[in-house]
Amino acid sequence: MTRPVTGPAHGDSHLNRAFVTVLGRAGNPVGAGVLVTPSLILTCAHVVNSALGQGRFHSPVPSRVHGVRLRFPHLDRERELTGRVVPEMWRPPRSRASTEQPSPPAEGMLPYYGDLAVLELDTEAPAGSEPACFLAHRDGNEVVARWASGHPLPTLRAVPRVDSHPWIALDVLGGTVAEGFSGGPLWDRERQAVVGLVVAAHDPAILNEALTLAPRRQQAPSSMYAIGISSIETEMPGLPPLAVPAAGRGRQQLHLVLEELLPSRQAIRECEERLAASLGRQSAGAAADIERLVGLAMGVRRGVPELLNIVYDQIREHRPSDPAQESLWLRALQIARLVSPGERLSPGQHRNLTGLLSQCRQTDPVSLLHKVLPYADTHPMPCDLADATDVLEGYDPQPSQPMPPLLQGVVHISTHQRVVGSELADDLDAWARSVAPRLGVARVALDQYGADIRAAQADRVSKRSPDVGPPRVQVELLPVPPGGLFTYQIWVWSAENRHEIVQTQDTEVPSTQVVEAILQVLRTEVHEYPENAVVEFFLAPGWLRLDVDAWEFPGKGDDVGFHPGIARRVVLRSSVRTRETYAGWKRRSSALSAAPRLLIDERHVDASVARARLEVHPEAGVVILCCGQQDQGRVLRQCIQAGVHTVLWHREGYDSHVAADMLALVESVDPVRIPEEVRMARAKARADPDYPAHFGKQLSLLHDGPDHRPPPLAPDSWVLTQP
């Protein structure tokens, strides 16, 4: 049971000073926004479109002739202001990450990209207004969102579940998501900062999992989505640096070292003017001092790295040959890590790196973290290379390795690009050579590290097997009780380290439309390998008995139709695998080639008996299930919990002949080849329709090794298979 939803707390006064209501033409609230500088308001593009009476996904930049009506409800409820879209910061919703030839997302598609806008006020903001402070969201921290009217009651509470480009997914704990929340800030009360903008909601009915199979289970909480700080900064590189909450640790140490690096008032003034200009703030001019300089840097995201960047240029211009500066500079770098932990790059350096990484496709972000941070206790799940380098930026080098993990990661990415002949490698190398001295790393050390990595990479390439795995079309399927309609998200995962969502259906559709979408993805996304792509359906355990492997698309016109279970390998995978089951999976997988196939039949369908049989055979990774339909789901769940790798079963037949045929099918087959053998058995059964007893009819396969990545924005609770 959730706690009652309450109004803004007294501690939310900072949010009140930055909260903005966006009004429609009739004066009714259509969304919200947040003040980011004294004259700029950040909101969603679809909120601006609604305010101007245009379609939600209208793409052209609104003319500055047409103003948007705004109100600061907590400061001056009666006064209306006018804001106009800044053309350079208009990012309408688009269906793909690429900005080349953008197209609006389809109706009901989640997630999508863009959907950001910045409004410039015609007049000064009301007295008492103040730009909001921003921080990246923290897993597990409860946040609140406020409805556009500013009324104290319509407030909702949520917990961020996962942060992935382009959105953060959140579970709503209290309150109801409504249209008026769009564009409004997500507020972290504990840290007194905005962590994102509300952008969309997920229909609660879609999250209701198999109610007919679990009648006593409470309805799953509704979900909503927000655009995180990293996505905002990636989409809008020209946005002035966002403010951050005041910090105190290391401030006095930074004062002291800057006084030694900048011994004259003229040097302090020059640095303050350059810093103010780069951050889009007003300079104090002749009144500038160390206090003002440090406060200016500590007040915005990546302000301290930008300050150090400017100080580095200052001392190289005026005192390039002073050896004492080297030790002072290294000390300043150490203190900066206390003042702004997790930030090494200035906004410009970070923006340039992100732009390069968005074009790199050769490096897997998860593998990169494991390679550069083998000593880390845990690794987050980065959604792309920009996210991975943000993680690396927060780590200090090991005592025996002077190279920061951030630079190590960039060198690895550059090496992978050079192997395939990409010109991006030269740009990445140039970026690293420019940044290294500013991070206290000699260029000769960087060059030597790069040479070592390239030599190791060349050795691995020479030993690499030419055989690579086929691409996969991964369908995250959410059935709607009683299982005749579905919502879904489709992902593509290829050997070239591509893993991205390509289609989303947020409203219920029949199975034929799901298969039609899969066929479209096979034609347009993996057209290089249409003959060997694998189709993987991810289902909650309660829905594994759905006959998705027998679905077909009848075709249109001259199209002869598409039966995925015959045209290619189709396997089921469970959406539930926990840390507890991983040890069992590892043990069973290591013994796959030698362990005998285990038969579970009518004698073992009781839950305790099935569990005992699986425990007695702890190395059996391939299970033949032969029992009635009413018992199949229960035993399948037991197999998943025990860490079984592969389960083969027949949806209708369960006599001794069917069991013998299934055992013969997999008895001497390499476990990796089982999906292909099952596909051939299905094809043989379909090729001989006059022989109804062929065991290939209704043959189904759960092939659930943990070599997949769960979709990061899945509405259900996905758990990685490896701890």
Side-chain angles (χ1 to χ4, degrees):
M1 182 178 297
T2 59
R3 300 195 303 270
V5 178
T6 60
H10 177 70
D12 296 347
S13 58
H14 178 68
L15 176 62
N16 295 343
R17 293 194 291 271
F19 186 83
V20 180
T21 297
V22 181
L23 306 175
R25 290 183 172 180
N28 56 305
V30 296
V34 59
L35 192 68
V36 293
T37 75
S39 61
L40 298 180
I41 293 168
L42 178 65
T43 186
C44 289
H46 79 263
V47 172
V48 174
N49 282 332
S50 298
L52 297 177
Q54 298 168 339
R56 177 185 179 91
F57 296 154
H58 187 71
S59 295
V61 182
S63 170
R64 289 184 65 86
V65 174
H66 305 297
V68 178
R69 301 167 65 182
L70 306 168
R71 184 181 293 140
F72 285 74
H74 300 288
L75 298 177
D76 192 342
R77 184 181 294 273
E78 303 304 323
R79 179 187 173 191
E80 282 193 9
L81 296 90
T82 301
R84 304 183 191 278
V85 173
V86 179
E88 297 79 15
M89 299 183 195
W90 173 253
R91 301 291 185 272
R94 62 182 189 276
S95 57
R96 302 295 298 274
S98 174
T99 56
E100 298 179 3
Q101 300 180 341
S103 59
E107 191 66 32
M109 174 182 176
L110 296 177
Y112 50 79
Y113 296 83
D115 206 354
L116 291 167
V118 171
L119 302 173
E120 185 176 17
L121 294 173
D122 284 351
T123 58
E124 293 184 358
S129 62
E130 183 180 337
C133 293
F134 287 77
L135 288 175
H137 101 275
R138 182 179 294 168
D139 290 339
N141 265 36
E142 183 176 305
V143 295
V144 296
R146 204 170 294 169
W147 195 54
S149 69
H151 191 277
L153 291 180
T155 303
L156 62 82
R157 300 166 33 247
V159 174
R161 184 187 335 119
V162 64
D163 186 357
S164 175
H165 296 310
W167 291 352
I168 302 171
L170 304 102
D171 291 324
V172 177
L173 302 180
T176 304
V177 183
E179 288 288 337
F181 284 101
S182 291
L186 281 182
W187 179 249
D188 188 323
R189 282 176 170 161
E190 179 181 334
R191 297 189 295 158
Q192 290 289 288
V194 174
V195 297
L197 294 187
V198 179
V199 64
H202 203 288
D203 187 350
I206 296 175
L207 299 178
N208 223 359
E209 179 189 326
L211 292 179
T212 57
L213 299 178
R216 296 184 180 181
R217 180 180 174 182
Q218 286 187 338
Q219 181 171 345
S222 60
S223 292
M224 71 174 183
Y225 301 106
I227 307 176
I229 305 305
S230 60
S231 295
I232 292 172
E233 292 178 333
T234 300
E235 289 277 353
M236 294 184 159
L239 185 68
L242 301 169
V244 296
R249 187 182 181 194
R251 188 184 188 107
Q252 295 306 314
Q253 298 179 60
L254 190 58
H255 279 187
L256 183 61
V257 73
L258 287 179
E259 286 176 352
E260 297 184 61
L261 287 169
L262 305 173
S264 68
R265 290 190 60 83
Q266 180 63 27
I268 294 172
R269 178 177 177 178
E270 289 177 1
C271 287
E272 194 271 349
E273 289 176 347
R274 293 170 63 179
L275 181 62
S278 65
L279 299 181
R281 302 300 194 266
Q282 187 173 358
S283 172
D289 56 15
I290 290 292
E291 182 71 32
R292 158 73 182 179
L293 187 62
V294 173
L296 186 62
M298 293 178 63
V300 299
R301 284 172 58 81
R302 299 190 176 276
V304 172
E306 179 68 13
L307 169 61
L308 294 184
N309 207 31
I310 291 171
V311 171
Y312 179 87
D313 291 337
Q314 177 77 14
I315 60 179
R316 290 298 181 270
E317 290 171 9
H318 298 281
R319 302 158 70 185
S321 58
D322 188 349
Q325 302 305 305
E326 189 67 28
S327 60
L328 282 175
W329 176 248
L330 293 177
R331 184 179 167 199
L333 290 174
Q334 292 174 351
I335 295 171
R337 301 292 286 166
L338 296 176
V339 177
S340 60
E343 293 182 345
R344 285 180 177 266
L345 304 179
S346 68
Q349 293 167 343
H350 184 263
R351 179 171 61 247
N352 293 337
L353 177 61
T354 302
L356 291 172
L357 296 179
S358 66
Q359 307 173 61
C360 297
R361 297 287 186 271
Q362 304 304 316
T363 306
D364 175 52
V366 178
S367 299
L368 181 68
L369 291 187
H370 284 275
K371 188 177 299 181
V372 178
L373 301 174
Y375 49 83
D377 294 332
T378 59
H379 294 94
M381 275 297 292
C383 53
D384 56 21
L385 288 177
D387 195 18
T389 53
D390 284 347
V391 173
L392 295 176
E393 190 178 3
Y395 281 83
D396 289 317
Q398 291 291 286
S400 60
Q401 173 59 267
M403 192 72 59
L406 172 65
L407 285 180
Q408 293 183 41
V410 174
V411 171
H412 278 284
I413 297 169
S414 171
T415 302
H416 294 161
Q417 294 297 128
R418 195 171 297 282
V419 167
V420 298
S422 171
E423 296 178 355
L424 288 171
D426 293 332
D427 286 322
L428 288 166
D429 288 343
W431 181 92
R433 286 176 60 81
S434 171
V435 169
R438 302 168 189 270
L439 299 182
V441 178
R443 286 182 177 173
V444 64
L446 177 70
D447 294 342
Q448 183 60 54
Y449 182 81
D452 294 342
I453 295 299
R454 286 190 290 273
Q457 176 72 14
D459 184 58
R460 284 193 296 269
V461 170
S462 64
K463 298 177 180 178
R464 182 182 300 164
S465 170
D467 186 27
V468 295
R472 305 175 186 180
V473 175
Q474 301 178 323
V475 187
E476 173 226 341
L477 198 62
L478 295 173
V480 179
L485 297 175
F486 309 88
T487 61
Y488 60 83
Q489 296 186 75
I490 301 181
W491 302 72
V492 170
W493 189 18
S494 69
E496 291 79 17
N497 297 320
R498 178 191 182 194
H499 188 235
E500 63 176 312
I501 189 169
V502 293
Q503 266 204 40
T504 300
Q505 179 66 37
D506 205 35
T507 55
E508 297 89 346
V509 296
S511 62
T512 53
Q513 187 165 332
V514 180
V515 181
E516 182 181 7
I518 295 171
L519 178 60
Q520 180 183 354
V521 169
L522 288 167
R523 287 171 172 170
T524 60
E525 300 292 342
V526 294
H527 52 277
E528 298 91 345
Y529 312 96
E531 70 285 347
N532 62 354
V534 181
V535 177
E536 301 173 328
F537 284 92
F538 289 83
L539 292 164
W543 293 102
L544 286 174
R545 291 178 57 251
L546 282 171
D547 56 350
V548 295
D549 37 33
W551 285 353
E552 58 184 314
F553 173 61
K556 298 177 180 178
D558 296 333
D559 198 338
V560 296
F562 174 62
H563 192 300
I566 304 300
R568 63 196 65 250
R569 288 169 287 173
V570 173
V571 300
L572 302 185
R573 283 188 161 171
S574 170
S575 64
V576 176
R577 188 174 289 282
T578 65
R579 296 174 186 269
E580 288 73 20
T581 65
Y582 176 69
W585 182 93
K586 189 174 181 180
R587 181 179 61 250
R588 294 176 188 274
S589 295
S590 62
L592 271 175
S593 58
R597 281 41 174 160
L598 178 64
L599 175 65
I600 296 182
D601 56 22
E602 286 286 290
R603 299 169 295 171
H604 315 115
V605 295
D606 181 84
S608 58
V609 175
R611 184 185 305 114
R613 184 160 175 77
L614 289 166
E615 290 179 355
V616 169
H617 298 83
E619 295 186 345
V622 178
V623 169
I624 305 301
L625 176 60
C626 198
C627 60
Q629 291 183 353
Q630 70 278 7
D631 300 315
Q632 290 171 355
R634 181 169 58 254
V635 181
L636 282 171
R637 286 193 289 272
Q638 291 290 337
C639 291
I640 292 170
Q641 293 171 8
V644 172
H645 183 282
T646 300
V647 183
L648 187 66
W649 79 98
H650 198 284
R651 298 188 184 277
E652 294 181 355
Y654 56 95
D655 56 27
S656 58
H657 296 291
V658 173
D661 288 335
M662 290 192 292
L663 279 169
L665 180 68
V666 301
E667 185 60 38
S668 58
V669 175
D670 187 326
V672 177
R673 291 279 305 168
I674 289 179
E676 177 62 18
E677 295 297 323
V678 171
R679 186 191 73 82
M680 290 299 297
R682 292 177 184 141
K684 291 176 182 178
R686 193 175 181 87
D688 193 2
D690 296 332
Y691 184 61
H694 193 288
F695 79 100
K697 291 181 181 293
Q698 298 295 316
L699 194 61
S700 197
L701 173 69
L702 173 69
H703 193 66
D704 205 20
D707 54 344
H708 64 271
R709 274 191 233 154
L713 286 179
D716 212 345
S717 56
W718 292 77
V719 180
L720 284 180
T721 56
Q722 298 192 27

